[in-house]
mmCIF file of all heavy atoms in Angstrom:
data_model
loop_
_atom_site.group_PDB
_atom_site.id
_atom_site.type_symbol
_atom_site.label_atom_id
_atom_site.label_comp_id
_atom_site.label_asym_id
_atom_site.label_seq_id
_atom_site.Cartn_x
_atom_site.Cartn_y
_atom_site.Cartn_z
ATOM 1 N N GLU L 1 -20.013 -64.029 -54.760
ATOM 2 C CA GLU L 1 -18.833 -63.320 -54.284
ATOM 3 C C GLU L 1 -18.533 -62.102 -55.160
ATOM 4 O O GLU L 1 -18.361 -62.204 -56.361
ATOM 5 C CB GLU L 1 -17.593 -64.266 -54.288
ATOM 6 C CG GLU L 1 -16.333 -63.640 -53.701
ATOM 7 C CD GLU L 1 -15.170 -64.581 -53.698
ATOM 8 O OE1 GLU L 1 -15.387 -65.815 -53.823
ATOM 9 O OE2 GLU L 1 -14.027 -64.105 -53.552
ATOM 10 N N GLU L 2 -18.546 -60.936 -54.563
ATOM 11 C CA GLU L 2 -18.378 -59.706 -55.322
ATOM 12 C C GLU L 2 -16.934 -59.580 -55.763
ATOM 13 O O GLU L 2 -16.040 -59.795 -55.014
ATOM 14 C CB GLU L 2 -18.777 -58.520 -54.445
ATOM 15 C CG GLU L 2 -18.657 -57.196 -55.231
ATOM 16 C CD GLU L 2 -19.071 -56.028 -54.365
ATOM 17 O OE1 GLU L 2 -19.550 -56.255 -53.232
ATOM 18 O OE2 GLU L 2 -18.968 -54.811 -54.806
ATOM 19 N N GLU L 3 -16.722 -59.296 -57.069
ATOM 20 C CA GLU L 3 -15.401 -59.112 -57.560
ATOM 21 C C GLU L 3 -14.877 -57.740 -57.165
ATOM 22 O O GLU L 3 -15.574 -56.758 -57.200
ATOM 23 C CB GLU L 3 -15.381 -59.290 -59.105
ATOM 24 C CG GLU L 3 -15.712 -60.654 -59.602
ATOM 25 C CD GLU L 3 -15.537 -60.767 -61.089
ATOM 26 O OE1 GLU L 3 -15.059 -59.786 -61.686
ATOM 27 O OE2 GLU L 3 -15.836 -61.816 -61.595
ATOM 28 N N TRP L 4 -13.653 -57.716 -56.788
ATOM 29 C CA TRP L 4 -12.991 -56.485 -56.363
ATOM 30 C C TRP L 4 -11.684 -56.288 -57.105
ATOM 31 O O TRP L 4 -10.896 -57.197 -57.147
ATOM 32 C CB TRP L 4 -12.752 -56.479 -54.859
ATOM 33 C CG TRP L 4 -12.162 -55.213 -54.348
ATOM 34 C CD1 TRP L 4 -12.716 -54.035 -54.120
ATOM 35 C CD2 TRP L 4 -10.771 -55.040 -53.975
ATOM 36 N NE1 TRP L 4 -11.846 -53.119 -53.613
ATOM 37 C CE2 TRP L 4 -10.616 -53.697 -53.523
ATOM 38 C CE3 TRP L 4 -9.686 -55.871 -53.949
ATOM 39 C CZ2 TRP L 4 -9.388 -53.249 -53.085
ATOM 40 C CZ3 TRP L 4 -8.414 -55.407 -53.539
ATOM 41 C CH2 TRP L 4 -8.312 -54.035 -53.096
ATOM 42 N N VAL L 5 -11.559 -55.137 -57.769
ATOM 43 C CA VAL L 5 -10.352 -54.859 -58.491
ATOM 44 C C VAL L 5 -9.604 -53.688 -57.877
ATOM 45 O O VAL L 5 -10.207 -52.618 -57.614
ATOM 46 C CB VAL L 5 -10.675 -54.531 -59.986
ATOM 47 C CG1 VAL L 5 -9.446 -54.150 -60.773
ATOM 48 C CG2 VAL L 5 -11.452 -55.652 -60.662
ATOM 49 N N ASN L 6 -8.336 -53.876 -57.616
ATOM 50 C CA ASN L 6 -7.526 -52.824 -57.071
ATOM 51 C C ASN L 6 -7.252 -51.768 -58.171
ATOM 52 O O ASN L 6 -7.106 -52.103 -59.327
ATOM 53 C CB ASN L 6 -6.187 -53.392 -56.586
ATOM 54 C CG ASN L 6 -5.418 -52.386 -55.813
ATOM 55 O OD1 ASN L 6 -5.922 -51.602 -55.014
ATOM 56 N ND2 ASN L 6 -4.119 -52.366 -56.085
ATOM 57 N N VAL L 7 -7.198 -50.548 -57.715
ATOM 58 C CA VAL L 7 -6.957 -49.443 -58.665
ATOM 59 C C VAL L 7 -5.628 -48.782 -58.283
ATOM 60 O O VAL L 7 -5.348 -48.453 -57.126
ATOM 61 C CB VAL L 7 -8.089 -48.347 -58.607
ATOM 62 C CG1 VAL L 7 -7.740 -47.165 -59.434
ATOM 63 C CG2 VAL L 7 -9.411 -49.006 -59.043
ATOM 64 N N VAL L 8 -4.771 -48.524 -59.362
ATOM 65 C CA VAL L 8 -3.508 -47.882 -59.173
ATOM 66 C C VAL L 8 -3.579 -46.551 -59.966
ATOM 67 O O VAL L 8 -3.556 -46.592 -61.190
ATOM 68 C CB VAL L 8 -2.313 -48.769 -59.684
ATOM 69 C CG1 VAL L 8 -1.027 -48.039 -59.492
ATOM 70 C CG2 VAL L 8 -2.308 -50.110 -58.981
ATOM 71 N N SER L 9 -3.731 -45.484 -59.246
ATOM 72 C CA SER L 9 -3.890 -44.180 -59.916
ATOM 73 C C SER L 9 -2.528 -43.500 -59.918
ATOM 74 O O SER L 9 -2.282 -42.526 -59.188
ATOM 75 C CB SER L 9 -4.939 -43.354 -59.186
ATOM 76 O OG SER L 9 -6.223 -43.917 -59.263
ATOM 77 N N GLU L 10 -1.655 -44.001 -60.760
ATOM 78 C CA GLU L 10 -0.263 -43.425 -60.783
ATOM 79 C C GLU L 10 0.186 -43.384 -62.246
ATOM 80 O O GLU L 10 -0.351 -44.076 -63.128
ATOM 81 C CB GLU L 10 0.669 -44.317 -59.969
ATOM 82 C CG GLU L 10 0.390 -44.356 -58.497
ATOM 83 C CD GLU L 10 1.370 -45.243 -57.749
ATOM 84 O OE1 GLU L 10 2.441 -45.488 -58.263
ATOM 85 O OE2 GLU L 10 0.963 -45.761 -56.692
ATOM 86 N N GLY L 11 1.210 -42.634 -62.495
ATOM 87 C CA GLY L 11 1.810 -42.545 -63.806
ATOM 88 C C GLY L 11 1.258 -41.385 -64.618
ATOM 89 O O GLY L 11 0.197 -40.910 -64.374
ATOM 90 N N ILE L 12 2.079 -40.912 -65.542
ATOM 91 C CA ILE L 12 1.681 -39.859 -66.436
ATOM 92 C C ILE L 12 2.014 -40.298 -67.851
ATOM 93 O O ILE L 12 3.123 -40.634 -68.259
ATOM 94 C CB ILE L 12 2.409 -38.549 -66.159
ATOM 95 C CG1 ILE L 12 2.098 -38.099 -64.742
ATOM 96 C CG2 ILE L 12 2.071 -37.444 -67.164
ATOM 97 C CD1 ILE L 12 2.925 -36.890 -64.226
ATOM 98 N N VAL L 13 0.976 -40.319 -68.730
ATOM 99 C CA VAL L 13 1.159 -40.662 -70.150
ATOM 100 C C VAL L 13 0.943 -39.367 -70.957
ATOM 101 O O VAL L 13 -0.153 -38.730 -70.815
ATOM 102 C CB VAL L 13 0.180 -41.738 -70.605
ATOM 103 C CG1 VAL L 13 0.333 -42.003 -72.092
ATOM 104 C CG2 VAL L 13 0.425 -43.027 -69.821
ATOM 105 N N SER L 14 1.879 -38.975 -71.783
ATOM 106 C CA SER L 14 1.794 -37.708 -72.472
ATOM 107 C C SER L 14 1.990 -37.860 -73.978
ATOM 108 O O SER L 14 2.712 -38.767 -74.447
ATOM 109 C CB SER L 14 2.875 -36.697 -71.901
ATOM 110 O OG SER L 14 4.154 -37.236 -72.149
ATOM 111 N N VAL L 15 1.397 -36.959 -74.722
ATOM 112 C CA VAL L 15 1.514 -36.931 -76.166
ATOM 113 C C VAL L 15 2.599 -35.950 -76.551
ATOM 114 O O VAL L 15 2.613 -34.790 -75.987
ATOM 115 C CB VAL L 15 0.181 -36.552 -76.825
ATOM 116 C CG1 VAL L 15 0.311 -36.494 -78.350
ATOM 117 C CG2 VAL L 15 -0.905 -37.554 -76.466
ATOM 118 N N GLY L 16 3.461 -36.296 -77.487
ATOM 119 C CA GLY L 16 4.468 -35.380 -77.912
ATOM 120 C C GLY L 16 3.875 -34.309 -78.916
ATOM 121 O O GLY L 16 2.879 -34.543 -79.534
ATOM 122 N N GLY L 17 4.514 -33.203 -79.033
ATOM 123 C CA GLY L 17 4.072 -32.137 -79.954
ATOM 124 C C GLY L 17 5.053 -32.042 -81.135
ATOM 125 O O GLY L 17 6.093 -32.719 -81.186
ATOM 126 N N ALA L 18 4.695 -31.257 -82.111
ATOM 127 C CA ALA L 18 5.546 -31.069 -83.280
ATOM 128 C C ALA L 18 5.128 -29.817 -84.012
ATOM 129 O O ALA L 18 4.036 -29.258 -83.801
ATOM 130 C CB ALA L 18 5.496 -32.261 -84.199
ATOM 131 N N ALA L 19 5.992 -29.313 -84.907
ATOM 132 C CA ALA L 19 5.714 -28.147 -85.740
ATOM 133 C C ALA L 19 6.070 -28.420 -87.159
ATOM 134 O O ALA L 19 7.003 -27.961 -87.709
ATOM 135 C CB ALA L 19 6.507 -26.872 -85.218
ATOM 136 N N PRO L 20 5.267 -29.314 -87.830
ATOM 137 C CA PRO L 20 5.584 -29.704 -89.190
ATOM 138 C C PRO L 20 5.141 -28.653 -90.217
ATOM 139 O O PRO L 20 4.308 -27.777 -89.908
ATOM 140 C CB PRO L 20 4.711 -30.959 -89.361
ATOM 141 C CG PRO L 20 3.516 -30.715 -88.506
ATOM 142 C CD PRO L 20 4.054 -29.964 -87.307
ATOM 143 N N ASN L 21 5.639 -28.761 -91.410
ATOM 144 C CA ASN L 21 5.144 -28.009 -92.533
ATOM 145 C C ASN L 21 3.961 -28.708 -93.141
ATOM 146 O O ASN L 21 3.799 -29.984 -92.989
ATOM 147 C CB ASN L 21 6.272 -27.789 -93.599
ATOM 148 C CG ASN L 21 7.385 -26.958 -93.113
ATOM 149 O OD1 ASN L 21 7.192 -26.011 -92.383
ATOM 150 N ND2 ASN L 21 8.619 -27.313 -93.399
ATOM 151 N N VAL L 22 3.163 -27.996 -93.953
ATOM 152 C CA VAL L 22 2.113 -28.689 -94.648
ATOM 153 C C VAL L 22 2.690 -29.671 -95.640
ATOM 154 O O VAL L 22 3.753 -29.438 -96.253
ATOM 155 C CB VAL L 22 1.216 -27.621 -95.405
ATOM 156 C CG1 VAL L 22 0.536 -26.715 -94.455
ATOM 157 C CG2 VAL L 22 2.086 -26.830 -96.418
ATOM 158 N N GLY L 23 2.059 -30.807 -95.780
ATOM 159 C CA GLY L 23 2.477 -31.828 -96.706
ATOM 160 C C GLY L 23 3.531 -32.737 -96.207
ATOM 161 O O GLY L 23 3.950 -33.701 -96.852
ATOM 162 N N GLU L 24 3.993 -32.453 -94.946
ATOM 163 C CA GLU L 24 5.093 -33.284 -94.396
ATOM 164 C C GLU L 24 4.555 -34.528 -93.694
ATOM 165 O O GLU L 24 3.308 -34.638 -93.427
ATOM 166 C CB GLU L 24 5.945 -32.466 -93.375
ATOM 167 C CG GLU L 24 6.901 -31.504 -94.050
ATOM 168 C CD GLU L 24 7.828 -30.835 -93.009
ATOM 169 O OE1 GLU L 24 7.538 -30.938 -91.797
ATOM 170 O OE2 GLU L 24 8.826 -30.301 -93.462
ATOM 171 N N THR L 25 5.419 -35.423 -93.311
ATOM 172 C CA THR L 25 5.092 -36.525 -92.420
ATOM 173 C C THR L 25 5.693 -36.234 -91.089
ATOM 174 O O THR L 25 6.821 -35.787 -90.959
ATOM 175 C CB THR L 25 5.658 -37.866 -92.988
ATOM 176 O OG1 THR L 25 5.092 -38.130 -94.254
ATOM 177 C CG2 THR L 25 5.423 -38.996 -92.060
ATOM 178 N N VAL L 26 4.929 -36.488 -90.035
ATOM 179 C CA VAL L 26 5.355 -36.132 -88.652
ATOM 180 C C VAL L 26 5.150 -37.333 -87.737
ATOM 181 O O VAL L 26 4.177 -38.054 -87.878
ATOM 182 C CB VAL L 26 4.620 -34.899 -88.102
ATOM 183 C CG1 VAL L 26 3.166 -35.113 -88.025
ATOM 184 C CG2 VAL L 26 5.168 -34.477 -86.797
ATOM 185 N N THR L 27 6.078 -37.557 -86.842
ATOM 186 C CA THR L 27 6.008 -38.647 -85.869
ATOM 187 C C THR L 27 5.710 -38.112 -84.515
ATOM 188 O O THR L 27 6.424 -37.256 -83.973
ATOM 189 C CB THR L 27 7.318 -39.484 -85.834
ATOM 190 O OG1 THR L 27 7.529 -40.045 -87.137
ATOM 191 C CG2 THR L 27 7.200 -40.600 -84.815
ATOM 192 N N ILE L 28 4.639 -38.562 -83.881
ATOM 193 C CA ILE L 28 4.172 -38.134 -82.555
ATOM 194 C C ILE L 28 4.420 -39.254 -81.535
ATOM 195 O O ILE L 28 3.768 -40.307 -81.629
ATOM 196 C CB ILE L 28 2.693 -37.713 -82.591
ATOM 197 C CG1 ILE L 28 2.472 -36.579 -83.590
ATOM 198 C CG2 ILE L 28 2.270 -37.243 -81.177
ATOM 199 C CD1 ILE L 28 3.201 -35.328 -83.306
ATOM 200 N N PRO L 29 5.328 -39.061 -80.592
ATOM 201 C CA PRO L 29 5.544 -40.112 -79.568
ATOM 202 C C PRO L 29 4.455 -40.040 -78.456
ATOM 203 O O PRO L 29 3.960 -38.914 -78.130
ATOM 204 C CB PRO L 29 6.935 -39.792 -79.032
ATOM 205 C CG PRO L 29 7.048 -38.307 -79.207
ATOM 206 C CD PRO L 29 6.215 -37.939 -80.462
ATOM 207 N N VAL L 30 4.175 -41.130 -77.856
ATOM 208 C CA VAL L 30 3.363 -41.227 -76.629
ATOM 209 C C VAL L 30 4.210 -41.806 -75.583
ATOM 210 O O VAL L 30 4.707 -42.963 -75.662
ATOM 211 C CB VAL L 30 2.089 -42.051 -76.891
ATOM 212 C CG1 VAL L 30 1.345 -42.269 -75.574
ATOM 213 C CG2 VAL L 30 1.224 -41.410 -77.913
ATOM 214 N N ASN L 31 4.506 -41.016 -74.518
ATOM 215 C CA ASN L 31 5.495 -41.391 -73.472
ATOM 216 C C ASN L 31 4.809 -41.605 -72.146
ATOM 217 O O ASN L 31 3.741 -41.105 -71.887
ATOM 218 C CB ASN L 31 6.500 -40.265 -73.393
ATOM 219 C CG ASN L 31 7.196 -39.947 -74.694
ATOM 220 O OD1 ASN L 31 7.653 -40.860 -75.403
ATOM 221 N ND2 ASN L 31 7.339 -38.719 -75.066
ATOM 222 N N ILE L 32 5.527 -42.343 -71.279
ATOM 223 C CA ILE L 32 5.071 -42.509 -69.929
ATOM 224 C C ILE L 32 6.200 -42.190 -68.975
ATOM 225 O O ILE L 32 7.377 -42.489 -69.210
ATOM 226 C CB ILE L 32 4.600 -43.960 -69.674
ATOM 227 C CG1 ILE L 32 3.992 -44.111 -68.245
ATOM 228 C CG2 ILE L 32 5.664 -45.008 -69.883
ATOM 229 C CD1 ILE L 32 3.243 -45.415 -68.002
ATOM 230 N N ILE L 33 5.892 -41.464 -67.905
ATOM 231 C CA ILE L 33 6.838 -41.209 -66.834
ATOM 232 C C ILE L 33 6.167 -41.588 -65.512
ATOM 233 O O ILE L 33 4.948 -41.744 -65.403
ATOM 234 C CB ILE L 33 7.263 -39.714 -66.829
ATOM 235 C CG1 ILE L 33 6.115 -38.809 -66.555
ATOM 236 C CG2 ILE L 33 8.009 -39.355 -68.073
ATOM 237 C CD1 ILE L 33 6.514 -37.347 -66.361
ATOM 238 N N GLU L 34 6.970 -41.685 -64.478
ATOM 239 C CA GLU L 34 6.485 -42.199 -63.187
ATOM 240 C C GLU L 34 5.666 -43.461 -63.329
ATOM 241 O O GLU L 34 4.611 -43.677 -62.718
ATOM 242 C CB GLU L 34 5.656 -41.100 -62.475
ATOM 243 C CG GLU L 34 6.401 -39.812 -62.247
ATOM 244 C CD GLU L 34 5.567 -38.747 -61.631
ATOM 245 O OE1 GLU L 34 4.416 -39.073 -61.115
ATOM 246 O OE2 GLU L 34 5.997 -37.560 -61.627
ATOM 247 N N ASN L 35 6.196 -44.377 -64.170
ATOM 248 C CA ASN L 35 5.586 -45.599 -64.532
ATOM 249 C C ASN L 35 5.356 -46.499 -63.334
ATOM 250 O O ASN L 35 6.290 -46.875 -62.648
ATOM 251 C CB ASN L 35 6.421 -46.351 -65.597
ATOM 252 C CG ASN L 35 5.734 -47.608 -66.137
ATOM 253 O OD1 ASN L 35 4.663 -47.994 -65.711
ATOM 254 N ND2 ASN L 35 6.407 -48.209 -67.084
ATOM 255 N N PRO L 36 4.096 -46.822 -62.949
ATOM 256 C CA PRO L 36 3.833 -47.681 -61.798
ATOM 257 C C PRO L 36 3.973 -49.168 -62.107
ATOM 258 O O PRO L 36 3.840 -49.982 -61.181
ATOM 259 C CB PRO L 36 2.365 -47.336 -61.422
ATOM 260 C CG PRO L 36 1.746 -47.061 -62.771
ATOM 261 C CD PRO L 36 2.829 -46.354 -63.574
ATOM 262 N N GLY L 37 4.224 -49.510 -63.345
ATOM 263 C CA GLY L 37 4.262 -50.836 -63.805
ATOM 264 C C GLY L 37 2.992 -51.212 -64.579
ATOM 265 O O GLY L 37 1.910 -51.192 -64.011
ATOM 266 N N ILE L 38 3.149 -51.494 -65.845
ATOM 267 C CA ILE L 38 1.968 -51.874 -66.640
ATOM 268 C C ILE L 38 2.315 -53.118 -67.524
ATOM 269 O O ILE L 38 3.429 -53.346 -67.878
ATOM 270 C CB ILE L 38 1.479 -50.727 -67.578
ATOM 271 C CG1 ILE L 38 2.604 -50.291 -68.559
ATOM 272 C CG2 ILE L 38 0.937 -49.567 -66.775
ATOM 273 C CD1 ILE L 38 2.127 -49.277 -69.558
ATOM 274 N N ALA L 39 1.259 -53.913 -67.809
ATOM 275 C CA ALA L 39 1.443 -55.098 -68.598
ATOM 276 C C ALA L 39 0.497 -55.148 -69.816
ATOM 277 O O ALA L 39 0.489 -56.081 -70.574
ATOM 278 C CB ALA L 39 1.216 -56.331 -67.776
ATOM 279 N N GLY L 40 -0.289 -54.083 -69.985
ATOM 280 C CA GLY L 40 -1.203 -54.016 -71.112
ATOM 281 C C GLY L 40 -1.904 -52.654 -71.171
ATOM 282 O O GLY L 40 -2.180 -52.091 -70.146
ATOM 283 N N PHE L 41 -2.226 -52.197 -72.372
ATOM 284 C CA PHE L 41 -2.991 -50.999 -72.528
ATOM 285 C C PHE L 41 -3.781 -50.989 -73.808
ATOM 286 O O PHE L 41 -3.468 -51.660 -74.768
ATOM 287 C CB PHE L 41 -2.086 -49.761 -72.461
ATOM 288 C CG PHE L 41 -1.018 -49.658 -73.548
ATOM 289 C CD1 PHE L 41 -1.330 -49.442 -74.871
ATOM 290 C CD2 PHE L 41 0.285 -49.796 -73.201
ATOM 291 C CE1 PHE L 41 -0.387 -49.336 -75.862
ATOM 292 C CE2 PHE L 41 1.292 -49.744 -74.166
ATOM 293 C CZ PHE L 41 0.942 -49.473 -75.518
#
């Protein structure tokens, strides 16, 4: 029996930007919009 997996091609995952100085610590968020529903990544 051939396995068949449904594909959901929805959602946008984006990386945040920043303008730090040299030697600083910077936090970069990874966000999702238009979330189709996820349970693991």
Side-chain angles (χ1 to χ4, degrees):
E1 182 177 344
E2 183 178 355
E3 293 187 4
W4 180 77
V5 177
N6 187 42
V7 174
V8 179
S9 298
E10 298 178 22
I12 300 173
V13 177
S14 62
V15 179
N21 293 320
V22 296
E24 284 188 344
T25 298
V26 62
T27 300
I28 302 297
V30 174
N31 303 313
I32 186 169
I33 61 173
E34 301 178 13
N35 185 356
I38 59 174
F41 61 70

